[in-house]
């Protein structure tokens, strides 16, 4: 089980400072969609150069022109690239094909997908590397979380690794760990805390204990 730090509301210098603080406790650093929109793929490039030992995920949430966008993110140094589960089958297959060519991985973000189990089964068959249940900011605001969704996809996903994102904090982490996702994605649960290092260290410890 790996820990991914999601960076959403930062610029490149702030991102570097944040990662430096918790580098020892995380496996993957995510350049969130807002950062990509504000800073471009340069953010991916600079973080990968600054922290070569960490995996970098480019949260592009691809919806179309998948092969091209995966190629561009790969060139920038991304190890993992995200595409939406709501995208066309052809787009997801195109993303997988390009990622394989580049030696990279594809994470399918199931945000907004209604028929979760059915779609998870379909995208699993396309050869994606991760399938991620994700409660976005707007639903977190009304008290939703991804835990039940994780259990749902765990029942049907045979090949891909599973991931969970959306509002995970130190006090909800033990429940998440019980469901055994392969990747736990934490944003504000670390970045919004006073002592980021201590929280990240504790989270890593809990994840290691499994």
């Amino acid at each position: 089980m790996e820990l991914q730090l999601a960076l959403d509301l930062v610029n490149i210098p702030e991102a570097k400072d944040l990662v430096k603080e918790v580098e020892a406790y995380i496996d993957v650093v995510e350049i969130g969609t807002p950062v990509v929109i504000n800073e471009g793929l340069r953010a991916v490039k600079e973080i990968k150069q600054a922290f070569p030992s960490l995996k970098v995920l480019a949260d592009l949430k691809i919806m179309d022109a998948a092969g091209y966008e995966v190629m561009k993110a790969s060139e920038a140094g991304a190890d993992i690239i995200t595409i939406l589960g709501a995208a066309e089958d052809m787009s997801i297959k195109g993303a997988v094909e390009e990622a394989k060519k580049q030696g990279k991985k594809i994470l399918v973000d199931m945000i907004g997908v209604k028929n979760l189990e059915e779609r998870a089964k379909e995208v699993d068959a396309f050869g994606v590397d991760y399938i991620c249940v994700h409660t976005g900011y707007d639903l977190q605001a009304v008290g939703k979380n991804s835990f039940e969704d994780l259990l749902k996809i765990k029942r049907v996903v045979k090949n891909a690794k599973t991931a969970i994102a959306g509002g995970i904090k130190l006090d909800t982490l033990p429940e998440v760990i019980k469901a055994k996702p392969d990747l736990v994605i934490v944003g504000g649960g670390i970045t919004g805390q006073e002592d980021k290092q201590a929280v990240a260290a504790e989270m890593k410890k809990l994840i290691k204990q499994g």
Side-chain angles (χ1 to χ4, degrees):
M1 206 182 298
E2 291 190 313
L3 179 60
Q4 175 170 313
L5 174 70
L7 300 176
D8 283 317
L9 306 173
V10 291
N11 57 33
I12 293 172
E14 288 166 347
K16 285 181 181 169
D17 290 345
L18 251 165
V19 177
K20 209 171 285 171
E21 240 181 290
V22 299
E23 182 184 4
Y25 308 106
I26 61 172
D27 305 289
V28 185
V29 57
E30 169 187 332
I31 306 303
T33 317
V35 182
V36 176
I37 287 169
N38 292 331
E39 299 273 13
L41 285 170
R42 193 167 60 94
V44 172
K45 195 175 198 163
E46 291 204 21
I47 293 295
K48 188 64 186 177
Q49 282 170 348
F51 305 97
S53 65
L54 291 176
K55 285 184 262 192
V56 175
L57 176 141
D59 190 17
L60 301 190
K61 294 193 175 78
I62 295 169
M63 195 65 184
D64 191 19
Y68 176 77
E69 293 194 6
V70 169
M71 179 181 74
K72 284 296 171 196
S74 301
E75 283 170 6
D79 301 287
I80 307 168
I81 299 113
T82 69
I83 187 166
L84 293 176
E88 300 286 357
D89 293 358
M90 284 301 294
S91 298
I92 298 175
K93 288 173 183 173
V96 168
E97 195 182 325
E98 185 60 35
K100 285 199 169 31
K101 233 185 265 174
Q102 305 282 353
K104 309 295 184 178
K105 301 209 180 313
I106 293 294
L107 179 144
V108 175
D109 186 335
M110 301 296 275
I111 193 168
V113 170
K114 299 284 183 271
N115 49 347
L116 201 55
E117 287 181 61
E118 191 187 322
R119 190 58 174 151
K121 213 186 278 187
E122 288 170 359
V123 299
D124 191 30
F126 299 156
V128 305
D129 300 284
Y130 295 91
I131 298 174
C132 179
V133 290
H134 182 187
T135 302
Y137 281 117
D138 302 335
L139 278 186
Q140 284 174 44
V142 294
K144 291 266 197 297
N145 71 46
S146 312
F147 186 66
E148 277 174 30
D149 290 345
L150 175 63
L151 297 177
K152 268 186 202 165
I153 72 159
K154 288 284 284 189
R155 287 199 286 270
V156 298
V157 171
K158 301 277 185 276
N159 309 305
K161 292 179 172 178
T162 55
I164 182 168
I168 297 166
K169 305 219 164 11
L170 192 51
D171 58 352
T172 57
L173 184 61
E175 191 187 12
V176 169
I177 289 170
K178 263 187 229 154
K180 296 190 165 35
D182 298 287
L183 187 60
V184 178
I185 301 169
V186 179
I190 292 174
T191 60
Q193 307 309 304
E194 196 65 44
D195 190 341
K196 297 170 187 51
Q197 201 171 40
V199 174
E202 186 58 28
M203 283 186 163
K204 188 62 180 172
K205 193 174 100 183
L206 289 172
I207 283 172
K208 265 205 171 125
Q209 289 165 357

